[in-house]
Amino acid sequence: MPNAVRELQVDLGDRSYPIFIGDGLLGSMDLTPYVAGSQIMIVTNETVAPLYLEQAKACFSGKAVDSVVLPDGEEYKDWQTLNLVFDALLKKRHTRKTTLVALGGGVVGDMTGFAAASYQRGVPFIQIPTTLLSQVDSSVGGKTGINHPLGKNMIGAFHQPEVVLIDTNSLKTLPPREVSAGLAEVIKYGLIRDTEFLAWLELEMDRLIGLSPDSLVEAIYRSCACKADVVARDEREGGLRAILNLGHTFGHAIETFAGYGNWLHGEAVGTGMVMAADLSLREGMISGADLARARELVARAGLPLLPPAEMTPDHFMDLMAVDKKNIDGALRLVLLRALGDAFVTADASPENLAATLGAFCQGAPD
Amino acid sequence: MPNAVRELQVDLGDRSYPIFIGDGLLGSMDLTPYVAGSQIMIVTNETVAPLYLEQAKACFSGKAVDSVVLPDGEEYKDWQTLNLVFDALLKKRHTRKTTLVALGGGVVGDMTGFAAASYQRGVPFIQIPTTLLSQVDSSVGGKTGINHPLGKNMIGAFHQPEVVLIDTNSLKTLPPREVSAGLAEVIKYGLIRDTEFLAWLELEMDRLIGLSPDSLVEAIYRSCACKADVVARDEREGGLRAILNLGHTFGHAIETFAGYGNWLHGEAVGTGMVMAADLSLREGMISGADLARARELVARAGLPLLPPAEMTPDHFMDLMAVDKKNIDGALRLVLLRALGDAFVTADASPENLAATLGAFCQGAPD
């Protein structure tokens, strides 16, 4: 039996839903109360299926459960692969009363969510994220979608799940590099909104890296709660939600430079957050001690502190100029007014930005 | 200058929008008040572009207007063609502040609407329907989507436009067969909800066939108003909205049997409505005089009264069994409790249904 289960309600009016977080939930928790019809289509990938598909099916006993297994990898987050889901739904004659279930990481979650948003103009779906990154990021926010050859996540929808089940036990099969990448987003929530959580993370980081269930449940709960609070205030990305992108503008530049897949998203965000903190210091907003705390936590999570050695300030400037958050050509960055207080600005001084890029690109973060 | 313009407000809370109906609106009406950003992408097809693209561009003076011209035909209502829209948007660097414009018939409207629902997780769009069918049908309801090889309209979204502009002048270039097909849906609104409109149609049918602008504006206005009223009461297709499918279950069987494109959708619906009225008579709900009125109006609109000569009752039963409106295997039909009063039922007597099919399949509708 699982230990204590934490429940978090994501408050979005008539699209509100609960997130259940615990160790050993997969296979033991009955999810049928969240299924209106009789049909279930579990969407997963070839890596996750052998590990957890049977356990996931056990959450829907009494229902007609079909499954479709996709190839694993961001390079398959495209229309052709999405269409395998539609093929399976139509071949198995799933009606508009069906429920889709995403079992896997962020790619499976994004694709399944978009399939659910689009199949017969919209059917319900359930998220069972199995990576730390997807547990603390995609569980909340309703963003779904696929990539286009000319841009990531360019085609998609906002579509909220009926329920999210997070089993920390599934992290035991996750490569350590991916645990660290997930911790980058966990640290992010502390940095942007919650100094108390930041202090807690400093105490718990070693237990998190060691996959202690109690620490993981708490970290995931507080991360999801932080994101849920931000998203509830700004569901369609008008303003506040942009602070969730702390470290992402620098990070996307790193990911693109390195070629997608060579740096994990969370690794690039980890380095990007340290760069954003460095710029915040140069802008006179946080102290050197604050920057050191941020950098220390990122380092203890096993994340890189510097961009690829070959990357120059010009690479950063070119790659950041095409960021889709920019408006009318002005570079928009998320900076820290203080630890636990992020904001979006287009007014960072070009000299300070150049100094930050120069410092990190020479391999010396100070 | 256009004559009097009729305006209809489609009432959907914060997604409400106006429909403007008039003769000569295209090119003369300024639509920029409905455009939040500076970018416009007009989506049209190779038939409509030479006729109306320049006029449509004139509705957006001062904006950066791009266009993409798709191949014409239901067979192109697929992902590959939809992707031409995404390609154009990304190549021309349209941001999430862009507005899409659908200029054409139902296929262009459905695809453009789905492109707008999905591009960067949703951007606004404007409808300029140029066929009678799309003017009285797709203008209201927010249904968008594409076909899948295993089913029509299986992938899509509900997405409401910012504004709909209907220019009756664009019907002058429409083949007469398509005018008749559009009139089938116009007659439908009279049959399902509005006996006064039905009586008006009996007076005006010759002028409608003759494309009299005043008659067309009135018929389109009342059709859209009827559909808007039904949709406002049932936006996501829970119940009432199903009456909009009068004649469609028989009609879809005819379309599928004939092979899509051989019978126009409206033609099949015309015949289907007469069959539904015939069954309603056999069920003891309407009179023989009522049936004669329905049949007469369908005939005067230039629509066929009988299914293809080769079609048997068994063909109908097989094809109707897979209709997606069926629930738990029961055949659901829209019948007429009286002229102007349609309802959905799964309780039509099998004997009466067999009698209707027998009568129509032998070439004798009585």
Side-chain angles (χ1 to χ4, degrees), chain B residues 211-266:
Chain B
L211 299 182
S212 153
D214 290 348
S215 300
L216 286 170
V217 168
E218 180 70 12
I220 294 166
Y221 177 88
R222 292 183 73 157
S223 296
C224 290
C226 177
K227 184 164 183 184
D229 182 57
V230 171
V231 169
R233 291 161 193 264
D234 180 20
E235 191 184 349
R236 306 282 300 201
E237 274 202 309
L240 178 67
R241 193 160 168 167
I243 67 169
L244 296 171
N245 289 313
L246 177 69
H248 283 61
T249 305
F250 294 114
H252 283 152
I254 293 172
E255 279 184 274
T256 306
F257 179 85
Y260 285 109
N262 294 317
W263 276 55
L264 296 178
H265 174 72

Side-chain angles (χ1 to χ4, degrees), chain B residues 48-356:
Chain B
V48 175
L51 297 168
Y52 301 114
L53 180 54
E54 287 309 312
Q55 287 176 51
K57 285 182 178 174
C59 296
F60 302 99
S61 71
K63 302 288 180 182
V65 183
D66 291 311
S67 61
V68 55
V69 178
L70 307 178
D72 185 9
E74 174 90 19
E75 67 269 35
Y76 296 105
K77 190 174 160 181
D78 59 12
W79 174 262
Q80 284 72 20
T81 310
L82 180 68
N83 211 28
L84 298 176
V85 180
F86 295 130
D87 288 346
L89 287 165
L90 287 163
K91 279 180 190 154
K92 297 287 180 70
R93 295 179 176 271
H94 281 243
T95 70
R96 62 179 76 173
K97 303 279 186 197
T98 189
T99 296
L100 272 60
V101 178
L103 175 69
V107 172
V108 165
D110 283 5
M111 295 184 71
T112 307
F114 186 45
S118 308
Y119 186 62
Q120 302 211 20
R121 300 195 192 93
V123 298
F125 84 117
I126 289 171
Q127 294 251 37
I128 305 181
T130 58
T131 67
L132 183 55
L133 179 61
S134 59
Q135 288 170 352
V136 298
D137 187 26
S138 347
S139 301
V140 181
K143 285 189 180 180
T144 72
I146 57 173
N147 298 331
H148 182 281
L150 297 175
K152 280 177 57 124
N153 295 317
M154 282 295 159
I155 302 163
F158 285 94
H159 194 55
Q160 306 295 343
E162 302 298 303
V163 60
V164 179
L165 182 149
I166 296 177
D167 185 350
T168 53
N169 188 54
S170 68
L171 302 179
K172 291 190 182 142
T173 50
L174 198 64
R177 231 182 118 184
E178 292 201 35
V179 173
S180 292
L183 287 171
E185 300 280 350
V186 173
I187 293 168
K188 183 190 75 179
Y189 296 113
L191 287 173
I192 63 174
R193 293 267 284 180
D194 192 343
T195 46
E196 194 188 297
F197 183 41
L198 203 65
W200 182 88
L201 285 171
E202 291 173 321
L203 288 175
E204 296 287 327
M205 187 51 74
D206 296 344
R207 275 187 286 273
L208 290 168
I209 290 283
L211 299 182
S212 153
D214 290 348
S215 300
L216 286 170
V217 168
E218 180 70 12
I220 294 166
Y221 177 88
R222 292 183 73 157
S223 296
C224 290
C226 177
K227 184 164 183 184
D229 182 57
V230 171
V231 169
R233 291 161 193 264
D234 180 20
E235 191 184 349
R236 306 282 300 201
E237 274 202 309
L240 178 67
R241 193 160 168 167
I243 67 169
L244 296 171
N245 289 313
L246 177 69
H248 283 61
T249 305
F250 294 114
H252 283 152
I254 293 172
E255 279 184 274
T256 306
F257 179 85
Y260 285 109
N262 294 317
W263 276 55
L264 296 178
H265 174 72
E267 292 172 332
V269 167
T271 304
M273 291 191 298
V274 179
M275 295 177 74
D278 181 90
L279 179 52
S280 303
L281 167 64
R282 291 177 199 271
E283 291 276 300
M285 297 183 286
I286 66 171
S287 69
D290 290 336
L291 169 60
R293 277 183 73 187
R295 193 172 55 223
E296 170 85 1
L297 204 48
V298 169
R300 288 177 62 203
L303 293 160
L305 297 175
L306 293 174
E310 310 75 28
M311 219 172 155
T312 66
D314 283 348
H315 288 137
F316 270 102
M317 292 306 293
D318 288 349
L319 291 166
M320 295 195 300
V322 298
D323 191 275
K324 69 182 172 189
K325 287 179 293 295
N326 297 337
I327 295 174
D328 295 331
L331 182 61
R332 283 158 59 87
L333 291 167
V334 184
L335 296 182
L336 297 171
R337 212 179 269 117
L339 289 189
D341 184 13
F343 72 111
V344 181
T345 180
D347 297 332
S349 115
E351 294 73 23
N352 286 335
L353 175 59
T356 291

Side-chain angles (χ1 to χ4, degrees), chain A residues 27-276:
Chain A
S28 72
M29 186 169 170
D30 178 17
L31 289 176
T32 57
Y34 300 93
V35 178
S38 59
Q39 295 174 305
I40 298 279
M41 177 65 75
I42 300 179
V43 182
T44 186
N45 70 33
E46 59 200 5
T47 306
V48 175
L51 298 167
Y52 301 115
L53 179 55
E54 287 310 312
Q55 287 177 52
K57 284 181 179 175
C59 296
F60 302 99
S61 72
K63 303 288 180 181
V65 183
D66 291 310
S67 61
V68 54
V69 179
L70 307 179
D72 185 8
E74 172 91 20
E75 66 269 36
Y76 296 105
K77 191 174 160 181
D78 59 11
W79 174 262
Q80 284 72 22
T81 310
L82 180 68
N83 211 30
L84 298 176
V85 181
F86 295 131
D87 288 345
L89 288 165
L90 287 163
K91 279 179 191 157
K92 296 287 179 70
R93 293 178 177 271
H94 281 243
T95 70
R96 62 179 75 174
K97 303 279 184 196
T98 189
T99 296
L100 272 61
V101 177
L103 175 70
V107 171
V108 165
D110 283 5
M111 294 184 72
T112 307
F114 186 44
S118 309
Y119 186 60
Q120 301 211 22
R121 301 196 191 91
V123 299
F125 84 116
I126 288 171
Q127 294 251 39
I128 304 180
T130 58
T131 66
L132 183 56
L133 179 61
S134 60
Q135 289 171 351
V136 299
D137 187 26
S138 348
S139 300
V140 181
K143 285 188 179 182
T144 73
I146 56 173
N147 299 331
H148 183 281
L150 297 176
K152 279 177 57 123
N153 294 317
M154 281 295 158
I155 301 164
F158 285 95
H159 195 54
Q160 306 294 343
E162 302 298 303
V163 60
V164 178
L165 182 149
I166 295 176
D167 184 351
T168 53
N169 188 54
S170 67
L171 302 180
K172 290 189 183 142
T173 50
L174 198 65
R177 230 184 117 183
E178 292 201 37
V179 174
S180 293
L183 287 172
E185 300 280 349
V186 173
I187 294 168
K188 183 190 76 179
Y189 296 113
L191 287 174
I192 62 174
R193 293 266 285 181
D194 192 342
T195 47
E196 193 188 297
F197 183 41
L198 203 64
W200 182 88
L201 285 172
E202 289 171 325
L203 288 175
E204 296 287 327
M205 185 53 72
D206 296 343
R207 277 188 284 274
L208 289 169
I209 288 284
L211 299 181
S212 153
D214 290 349
S215 299
L216 287 170
V217 168
E218 179 69 13
I220 294 166
Y221 177 87
R222 293 183 73 155
S223 295
C224 290
C226 177
K227 184 164 183 184
D229 182 57
V230 170
V231 168
R233 291 161 194 263
D234 180 20
E235 192 184 348
R236 305 283 299 202
E237 277 205 307
L240 179 67
R241 193 160 169 168
I243 67 169
L244 296 171
N245 289 313
L246 176 70
H248 282 58
T249 304
F250 294 114
H252 282 153
I254 293 172
E255 279 185 274
T256 307
F257 180 85
Y260 284 109
N262 294 315
W263 276 53
L264 296 178
H265 174 71
E267 292 173 330
V269 168
T271 304
M273 290 192 299
V274 180
M275 294 177 75

